[in-house]
Amino acid sequence: MQGISVVIPVFNEEDNVADGFREVSNVLRSTGRPYEIIYVDDGSRDKTVSRLLECGGNDSHLRLIQLRRNFGQTAAMAAGFDHSRYEIVVALDGDLQNDPAEIPQMVAKLEEGYDLVAGWRKHRRDKFLSRRLPSIIANRIISSATGVRLHDYGCTLKVMSGDIARGLRLYGEMHRFIPALANEMGARIVEVPVNHRERRFGTSKYGISRTIRVVLDLITVKFLLGYSKRPIHLFGVVGAASGILGTLILSMLTYQRLFQDVPMGNRPLLALGVMLVIIGLQFVVFGLLAEVLARTYYESQNKKTYVVRRVFTAPEEEDSAPWARKVAN
C-alpha cells in the first residue's frame, strides 16, 4: 500500500517514548502521506508501554507490538518489519538520538530509484573512545568483509522499500548488517548524512558483550553472503589446499626414503603430512554435507535462490505503449 511505516523498537525507554511519538507523528503528518507508527516493546520492565498508550492510545496511526520477553533489538526490528503494511519502511531508534526530521529527505532520496537509504551520523554525539572509535574500526571491518562500503553501519535510521524490509531474515545482532543483507537481495543502496542528537534520558543498552556478538555475527554474515548457496566452494578449497600440501609432504618423504635412504618413521613431517591429508578429506566431506543441507533448506521451503525486482509483460491487446503493464513481484 502507498504510505510510510515507521518501525521503532524500544526497551525501557519510558522517558523517551512520549516525546518520540509526538515528534514522529508531526513529521509524518507533514508529508501528507498515509502512515503508521509501529512501536515494538522488547520486554520492557518499566512504564514504557503505559506511557506510550497514554500519549498515543487514541491515535489510529499507532500500532504497538508487545513481545513476551526481551528478545533483543534485532528480533524486535524483525517483528516490526513483518507487521508493516506500507511500501516505504523506516527503521528508527526509540532513544531520541535519531532525528525524525530526517525522514522526508531520506524518503525523497529513496524515490530517486534506490531500495535502501542508510543514515550516516557524520557528527555523532557520543564519547569518542568508548563509542565512536570502536564504531569507526568496526565499520571499516564490516565494509571490507561484506563489500558494502558505508561509513556507519550502526545507525538505526534507515529508509527502505517494503519488499526489502519484509524480505529480510534477521537473527542475532544482524540488524546492523541490514545494508549487506539487502545488497545480497540486489538492493540499490545509498548513504546520506543525518543529524544525531545526544541522549537526554535513560542509559545506553550497548556494551562490550554486544561488540563480541557483533564480531561473531559478522562471521555468520560473511558466510551467508558468500557461501550459503555454494558451501562446497569454501570447504572444498580449504580441504583441497590441506590435502595437496599433505600429499606433497608425503611424496617428498617417500622420495627421500626410496632414493636417498633417509629414515621417515620418526620424522614429525610424516605425522603432519598424514594429518593434513585427513583434514583435507574431512573438509571436503563437510562441504558435501553443507551442500545437502543448503539444498534441503531451499527446497523444503520452496525458497528461491534469486530475487525478482519486477516483471514486465506485453499487453494482450495492442496499444501505443508496449511493455507498459507491470506485474508486481
Side-chain angles (χ1 to χ4, degrees):
M1 290 191 295
Q2 298 285 333
I4 302 174
S5 298
V6 178
V7 175
I8 308 175
V10 289
F11 175 64
N12 292 343
E13 297 286 0
E14 61 181 2
D15 295 321
N16 292 317
V17 288
D19 290 341
F21 177 75
R22 283 190 288 267
E23 277 194 62
V24 176
S25 297
N26 291 335
V27 169
L28 295 179
R29 196 178 301 117
S30 68
T31 65
R33 305 173 186 236
Y35 68 90
E36 62 181 356
I37 304 174
I38 304 173
Y39 272 88
V40 183
D41 176 63
D42 189 24
S44 295
R45 295 183 291 271
D46 60 2
K47 299 179 180 178
T48 295
V49 172
S50 60
R51 293 278 177 85
L52 188 56
L53 292 177
E54 286 175 9
C55 68
N58 295 324
D59 191 329
S60 61
H61 297 99
L62 172 65
R63 300 180 66 197
L64 174 60
I65 301 169
Q66 190 172 14
L67 304 184
R68 288 186 177 272
R69 64 171 177 83
N70 179 242
F71 288 92
Q73 186 175 359
T74 298
M77 196 171 291
F81 290 165
D82 290 342
H83 285 80
S84 64
R85 297 177 293 188
Y86 290 122
E87 65 173 3
I88 296 175
V89 177
V90 180
L92 187 71
D93 259 337
D95 57 11
L96 300 182
Q97 290 193 269
N98 291 153
D99 190 349
E102 301 286 354
I103 293 175
Q105 63 110 356
M106 295 181 72
V107 170
K109 192 69 176 179
L110 185 81
E111 293 177 334
E112 291 180 9
Y114 295 100
D115 299 298
L116 188 149
V117 181
W120 170 22
R121 298 166 294 182
K122 192 171 183 178
H123 303 290
R124 186 171 175 180
R125 307 296 183 183
D126 284 321
K127 295 180 180 179
F128 180 77
L129 288 178
S130 61
R131 299 293 299 277
R132 289 161 55 196
L133 181 60
S135 179
I136 292 171
I137 297 172
N139 286 319
R140 290 181 179 176
I141 294 174
I142 295 172
S143 294
S144 177
T146 63
V148 182
R149 300 194 174 276
L150 300 177
H151 294 88
D152 192 357
Y153 268 87
C155 182
T156 302
L157 179 56
K158 294 178 179 68
V159 176
M160 65 199 88
S161 60
D163 59 327
I164 291 294
R166 289 183 282 272
L168 293 170
R169 294 294 176 263
L170 302 176
Y171 307 92
E173 299 285 337
M174 290 189 183
H175 65 278
R176 69 185 60 252
F177 301 113
I178 285 177
L181 297 174
N183 182 67
E184 176 69 5
M185 299 168 64
R188 292 181 290 247
I189 301 170
V190 67
E191 187 177 39
V192 298
V194 295
N195 182 38
H196 187 246
R197 305 181 294 194
E198 294 182 1
R199 174 183 272 272
R200 289 188 290 170
F201 307 108
T203 57
S204 173
K205 313 302 188 298
Y206 293 87
I208 189 64
S209 62
R210 175 166 291 195
T211 301
I212 296 172
R213 294 197 297 269
V214 169
V215 172
L216 296 176
D217 279 330
L218 176 59
I219 298 173
T220 302
V221 168
K222 179 62 178 176
F223 175 78
L224 292 176
L225 296 181
Y227 301 102
S228 65
K229 300 179 182 67
R230 47 189 177 92
I232 190 65
H233 290 193
L234 173 63
F235 294 104
V237 168
V238 175
S242 177
I244 291 173
L245 181 59
T247 301
L248 290 175
I249 292 174
L250 293 177
S251 298
M252 180 190 70
L253 293 176
T254 302
Y255 174 82
Q256 291 177 342
R257 179 67 183 88
L258 294 177
F259 298 100
Q260 298 177 350
D261 200 26
V262 178
M264 59 182 294
N266 60 348
R267 299 182 65 181
L269 277 178
L270 177 63
L272 177 62
V274 172
M275 182 181 68
L276 288 174
V277 170
I278 294 175
I279 290 175
L281 290 173
Q282 288 179 326
F283 267 98
V284 171
V285 172
F286 289 159
L288 293 174
L289 292 175
E291 285 283 337
V292 173
L293 291 174
R295 280 156 174 71
T296 302
Y297 171 75
Y298 284 101
E299 294 175 12
S300 65
Q301 304 179 68
N302 196 29
K303 294 178 69 69
K304 305 297 182 184
T305 57
Y306 57 86
V307 180
V308 176
R309 183 179 299 278
R310 61 175 67 91
V311 178
F312 293 93
T313 60
E316 296 179 0
E317 298 180 1
E318 294 184 1
D319 59 26
S320 59
W323 304 102
R325 183 160 57 91
K326 184 175 77 173
V327 180
N329 297 0

